[in-house]
Amino acid sequence: MVTPSAHPRPEPSDELPPAADGCPVRGARRAPQDPADRLLDDPFTAYAALRATAPVHRIAGPDGTPAWLVTRYEDVRSGLADPRLSLDKKNALPGGYHGFRLPPALDANLLNMDPPDHTRIRRLVARAFTPRRIERLREPIRRAAHALVDGFGSTGRVDLVTAYAGPLPITVIGDLLGVPEGDRLDFRSWTETLLGPERPDPVAAKETMGAMLRFYTGLVADKRRAPGDDLLSDLVAVRDETAEPSPSGPSGPPGSAADGRLTEDELVSLAFLIHFAGYENAVHLIGNAALALLTHPEASAELRADPARWPAAVDELTRYDTPALLAFRRFPTEDVRIAGVTVGAGETVFLCLASANRDPDRFPDADRLDLSRDASGHLALGHGIHYCLGASLARLEAEVALAVLLERLPGLALDVDPAAPLPRRRTLRNRGLRELPVRF
């Protein structure tokens, strides 16, 4: 979803008062503060009010078209696993909200697919994300984290987002895919243009899309000419094993999925998705978790005293301040009942991960950070067949990044008033910090 300034706000009515991000929510009450700001600044309080009112709400989407918002844990979890809730835009009603409009070579990705295409592509790439393979990355990630801390300088002050939470995932996912180091800063600026602007700029977004398309098609071509020891080179080899000769030249034909392999668009889209999602999830997870530890010093003390608690702690930190507020939009393939509400075929459905993770019916005292809690059932990284492909990598990055901070910087503390709100992205696509000033 997009910032309030991105689209004209629909005229309010008694039935659909404005609530957030251009999204009017039935039953929400007007307040002197702009409701959009209220939801962006304090989403968990707003979601608690929605859960208490009803499990499913009729809303207006980012473009003003009708959509549904699901807020309670059991309903969100069921929705994530329901095969009738499709990610394929072909199942959306004409004129409804479809999400990002990407070039075809970037749009043929797992976030727009259902089985059998989703199953085919995920099977090809999942072997790169097995727990054993991911665990091999622990030491490289740790070395990268230490190197970033070494670069903090001697002033005793630093912005953790700019100097740490942002660069670390770029390094990790760049190494995984084999992205040249000189191209990695461009990627960070692209994500800010598309997902983080205070005032969306359609011209800049279009230019960024073009730059990304050229980059990923070029990167695939480079790996085809000179393969390396990286995931993208492996995927290019899988793609080309069954590619037939084409008059178009060495880049291979557009291809067909009939042979169980990858089309060229699917290959380029997969590179884009792994790179894009691998960065976005990790940077916000690390930033939000670092802030939670800085504002809960007793939790930091517990982890310093017993580092074996880190894996479970990362689950609780992820649940507590979920990096993605909403799951990717879905479209029922038939009329469905969600918590007693009929949702028509093709209508847009948003499953609210952040609200589900603060549902006290699933997590007692859910608004409290509790490292002793079993938070392994949180939905921050999804559930079902669309569970985040890189979830194990995201968890490992967060664990290592946070452990290195506490290990290296025993005096780490916020460099701002703890009661003052920190600047965040003005969007409901994700919940991310723009900056996190600390002293050490």
Side-chain angles (χ1 to χ4, degrees), residues 102 106-113 266 269-270 272-273 328:
L102 293 169
L106 301 180
D107 207 39
N109 64 66
L110 292 170
L111 295 181
N112 292 321
M113 289 182 178
E266 288 169 348
S269 294
L270 192 54
F272 158 72
L273 180 63
F328 216 57

Side-chain angles (χ1 to χ4, degrees), residues 120-138:
R120 169 177 55 84
I121 293 177
R122 184 160 179 133
R123 183 181 296 124
L124 290 172
V125 71
R127 57 192 175 192
F129 292 94
T130 62
R132 179 176 297 179
R133 284 176 176 262
I134 294 302
E135 184 59 31
R136 293 175 189 167
L137 298 176
R138 180 179 293 274

Side-chain angles (χ1 to χ4, degrees), residues 129-268:
F129 292 94
T130 62
R132 179 176 297 179
R133 284 176 176 262
I134 294 302
E135 184 59 31
R136 293 175 189 167
L137 298 176
R138 180 179 293 274
E139 282 308 310
I141 295 173
R142 184 173 173 82
R143 287 194 297 270
H146 276 288
L148 289 170
V149 174
D150 290 341
F152 282 179
S154 58
T155 65
R157 285 179 162 82
V158 73
D159 172 16
L160 278 185
V161 172
T162 301
Y164 194 71
L168 183 61
I170 289 178
T171 298
V172 172
I173 206 69
D175 288 348
L176 184 69
L177 285 174
V179 178
E181 289 191 18
D183 294 329
R184 295 178 184 182
L185 290 179
D186 287 340
F187 176 75
R188 188 174 181 189
S189 70
W190 292 338
T191 62
E192 286 299 315
T193 299
L194 292 177
L195 298 181
E198 289 287 342
R199 296 185 179 276
D201 183 341
V203 174
K206 184 176 181 179
E207 291 174 351
T208 295
M209 289 287 188
M212 292 172 68
L213 178 59
R214 291 189 296 273
F215 171 75
Y216 288 110
T217 54
L219 185 62
V220 167
D222 289 344
K223 298 300 179 183
R224 187 168 272 128
R225 285 191 297 268
D229 183 18
D230 55 74
L231 174 58
L232 186 53
S233 293
D234 291 346
L235 292 173
V236 170
V238 168
R239 154 76 181 124
D240 291 349
E241 280 177 8
T242 55
E244 300 173 358
S246 168
S248 62
S251 64
S256 168
D259 56 18
R261 300 293 180 172
L262 292 167
T263 68
E264 193 71 8
D265 280 355
E266 288 169 348
L267 173 60
V268 175

